[in-house]
Amino acid sequence: MKKQLISTSRTQTIDLAQHLAGHLFNGCVITLSGDLGAGKTTFTQGLGHGLGITKLISSPTFTIMKQYHGRLDLIHIDAYRLEGLHQDLGLDELIGTDGVCVIEWPEQIPHLIPAEHLAITIKRLTEDKRQLTIESTGSAYDALLEVIQ
Ligand code: ADP
Ligand code: MG
């Protein structure tokens, strides 16, 4: 299933993600695609709020992975620098096992993305306007998509 919506502000993107977070389940996987500055980390911050994470969620570009504790743990992966890296970092053991796993730049690690997941693509339309395309694979993720208006 697929939905498309427009966000007209950073706050609206955060609110949307925060609402979605209330419905996330243990072991779920969300991918975030889009250019630098599209709003992938901003969306993740909204998920964090919704999961009751109080720590500031920053871009994990230089660390690849950060884990935060909340109602469900949030595992935030930024695969930007992983292109062509075939070394096993143990990410496969993290993704889709425990907590909520959010992956920025999933295109860099296609072999590690489970078949069933929620795929979000953010496109920058103007300074403050973003188009979000949200696609679900599998019944659990179809149900998640239902809560997004
Ligand atoms: P990415 O992780 O995709 O590189 P970031 O989330 O770090 O992007 O940055 C997105 C930037 O765009 C932030 O400075 C944010 O305030 C700004 N922004 C402006 N409008 C929006 C919007 N509608 N949704 C999300 N971010 C927005
Ligand atoms: Mg980012």
Side-chain angles (χ1 to χ4, degrees), residues 32 34-42 44 58-61 76-78 80 104-105:
L32 286 169
D35 293 341
L36 277 175
K40 303 180 294 296
T41 297
T42 301
T44 310
S58 56
S59 175
T61 300
H76 188 194
I77 294 171
D78 190 323
Y80 188 63
E104 297 189 33
W105 298 99

Short mmCIF file of all heavy atoms in Angstrom, two decimals, residues 32 34-42 44 58-61 76-78 80 104-105, ligand 2:
data_model
loop_
_atom_site.label_atom_id
_atom_site.label_comp_id
_atom_site.label_asym_id
_atom_site.label_seq_id
_atom_site.Cartn_x
_atom_site.Cartn_y
_atom_site.Cartn_z
N LEU A 32 14.12 5.47 5.62
CA LEU A 32 13.93 6.88 5.27
C LEU A 32 14.87 7.24 4.13
O LEU A 32 16.09 7.23 4.29
CB LEU A 32 14.24 7.75 6.49
CG LEU A 32 13.19 7.76 7.60
CD1 LEU A 32 13.75 8.43 8.85
CD2 LEU A 32 11.93 8.48 7.16
N GLY A 34 15.80 9.95 0.81
CA GLY A 34 15.68 11.37 0.42
C GLY A 34 17.04 12.03 0.51
O GLY A 34 17.92 11.56 1.23
N ASP A 35 17.17 13.14 -0.22
CA ASP A 35 18.45 13.85 -0.26
C ASP A 35 18.84 14.40 1.11
O ASP A 35 18.00 14.47 2.00
CB ASP A 35 18.36 15.01 -1.25
CG ASP A 35 18.19 14.53 -2.68
OD1 ASP A 35 18.52 13.36 -2.96
OD2 ASP A 35 17.71 15.33 -3.51
N LEU A 36 20.08 14.84 1.21
CA LEU A 36 20.54 15.52 2.42
C LEU A 36 19.65 16.74 2.66
O LEU A 36 19.36 17.48 1.72
CB LEU A 36 21.98 16.00 2.23
CG LEU A 36 23.09 14.99 2.49
CD1 LEU A 36 24.44 15.60 2.13
CD2 LEU A 36 23.09 14.52 3.93
N GLY A 37 19.18 16.90 3.88
CA GLY A 37 18.35 18.05 4.21
C GLY A 37 16.87 17.84 3.91
O GLY A 37 16.06 18.74 4.09
N ALA A 38 16.51 16.65 3.47
CA ALA A 38 15.11 16.36 3.15
C ALA A 38 14.25 16.36 4.42
O ALA A 38 13.12 16.85 4.42
CB ALA A 38 14.99 15.02 2.43
N GLY A 39 14.80 15.80 5.48
CA GLY A 39 14.04 15.75 6.74
C GLY A 39 14.02 14.37 7.38
O GLY A 39 13.19 14.09 8.23
N LYS A 40 14.96 13.52 6.99
CA LYS A 40 14.99 12.14 7.51
C LYS A 40 15.28 12.14 9.01
O LYS A 40 14.60 11.45 9.79
CB LYS A 40 16.06 11.32 6.77
CG LYS A 40 15.85 11.27 5.25
CD LYS A 40 16.91 10.44 4.54
CE LYS A 40 18.31 11.01 4.61
NZ LYS A 40 18.46 12.30 3.92
N THR A 41 16.27 12.91 9.43
CA THR A 41 16.60 12.94 10.86
C THR A 41 15.50 13.66 11.64
O THR A 41 15.15 13.26 12.75
CB THR A 41 17.99 13.59 11.08
OG1 THR A 41 18.97 12.78 10.42
CG2 THR A 41 18.33 13.68 12.55
N THR A 42 14.92 14.69 11.04
CA THR A 42 13.79 15.39 11.68
C THR A 42 12.65 14.42 11.93
O THR A 42 12.07 14.40 13.03
CB THR A 42 13.32 16.55 10.76
OG1 THR A 42 14.42 17.44 10.56
CG2 THR A 42 12.15 17.30 11.36
N THR A 44 12.87 11.24 12.30
CA THR A 44 13.32 10.32 13.36
C THR A 44 13.19 10.96 14.74
O THR A 44 12.84 10.29 15.71
CB THR A 44 14.78 9.89 13.10
OG1 THR A 44 14.90 9.45 11.75
CG2 THR A 44 15.20 8.76 14.04
N SER A 58 20.35 13.03 17.22
CA SER A 58 21.13 13.78 16.23
C SER A 58 21.43 12.85 15.06
O SER A 58 21.15 11.66 15.11
CB SER A 58 22.42 14.28 16.86
OG SER A 58 23.13 13.20 17.40
N SER A 59 22.00 13.41 14.02
CA SER A 59 22.31 12.58 12.87
C SER A 59 23.44 11.62 13.21
O SER A 59 24.47 12.03 13.71
CB SER A 59 22.72 13.46 11.70
OG SER A 59 23.12 12.63 10.64
N PRO A 60 23.25 10.34 12.94
CA PRO A 60 24.30 9.38 13.29
C PRO A 60 25.31 9.16 12.17
O PRO A 60 26.01 8.17 12.16
CB PRO A 60 23.50 8.10 13.58
CG PRO A 60 22.33 8.19 12.67
CD PRO A 60 22.07 9.66 12.39
N THR A 61 25.38 10.11 11.23
CA THR A 61 26.24 9.93 10.06
C THR A 61 27.66 9.48 10.40
O THR A 61 28.23 8.64 9.72
CB THR A 61 26.29 11.24 9.23
OG1 THR A 61 24.96 11.53 8.82
CG2 THR A 61 27.15 11.09 8.00
N HIS A 76 18.78 3.88 15.53
CA HIS A 76 18.85 4.84 14.42
C HIS A 76 20.14 4.58 13.63
O HIS A 76 21.24 4.77 14.14
CB HIS A 76 18.84 6.25 15.02
CG HIS A 76 18.73 7.35 14.00
ND1 HIS A 76 18.98 8.66 14.31
CD2 HIS A 76 18.41 7.32 12.69
CE1 HIS A 76 18.80 9.40 13.23
NE2 HIS A 76 18.46 8.62 12.24
N ILE A 77 19.96 4.12 12.40
CA ILE A 77 21.11 3.79 11.56
C ILE A 77 21.19 4.79 10.40
O ILE A 77 20.17 5.11 9.79
CB ILE A 77 20.97 2.35 10.99
CG1 ILE A 77 21.05 1.33 12.14
CG2 ILE A 77 22.04 2.06 9.94
CD1 ILE A 77 20.71 -0.09 11.73
N ASP A 78 22.36 5.31 10.12
CA ASP A 78 22.58 6.14 8.95
C ASP A 78 23.60 5.41 8.08
O ASP A 78 24.78 5.31 8.43
CB ASP A 78 23.09 7.52 9.35
CG ASP A 78 23.10 8.48 8.16
OD1 ASP A 78 23.40 8.02 7.04
OD2 ASP A 78 22.81 9.66 8.36
N TYR A 80 24.66 6.16 5.14
CA TYR A 80 25.26 7.04 4.13
C TYR A 80 26.69 6.63 3.76
O TYR A 80 27.07 6.61 2.61
CB TYR A 80 25.24 8.48 4.65
CG TYR A 80 25.66 9.51 3.63
CD1 TYR A 80 24.92 9.68 2.47
CD2 TYR A 80 26.76 10.33 3.85
CE1 TYR A 80 25.28 10.65 1.53
CE2 TYR A 80 27.13 11.29 2.93
CZ TYR A 80 26.39 11.45 1.77
OH TYR A 80 26.75 12.39 0.86
N GLU A 104 18.31 5.46 7.73
CA GLU A 104 18.49 6.48 6.70
C GLU A 104 19.44 5.93 5.64
O GLU A 104 20.36 5.19 5.95
CB GLU A 104 19.08 7.77 7.31
CG GLU A 104 18.16 8.43 8.33
CD GLU A 104 18.62 9.81 8.77
OE1 GLU A 104 19.20 10.55 7.97
OE2 GLU A 104 18.37 10.15 9.95
N TRP A 105 19.22 6.27 4.39
CA TRP A 105 20.01 5.78 3.25
C TRP A 105 19.97 4.26 3.11
O TRP A 105 21.01 3.61 2.97
CB TRP A 105 21.47 6.27 3.34
CG TRP A 105 21.57 7.76 3.31
CD1 TRP A 105 21.71 8.57 4.40
CD2 TRP A 105 21.49 8.62 2.16
NE1 TRP A 105 21.73 9.90 4.00
CE2 TRP A 105 21.61 9.95 2.63
CE3 TRP A 105 21.34 8.39 0.79
CZ2 TRP A 105 21.56 11.05 1.77
CZ3 TRP A 105 21.31 9.50 -0.05
CH2 TRP A 105 21.43 10.80 0.44
MG MG B 2 20.08 12.73 8.50
#
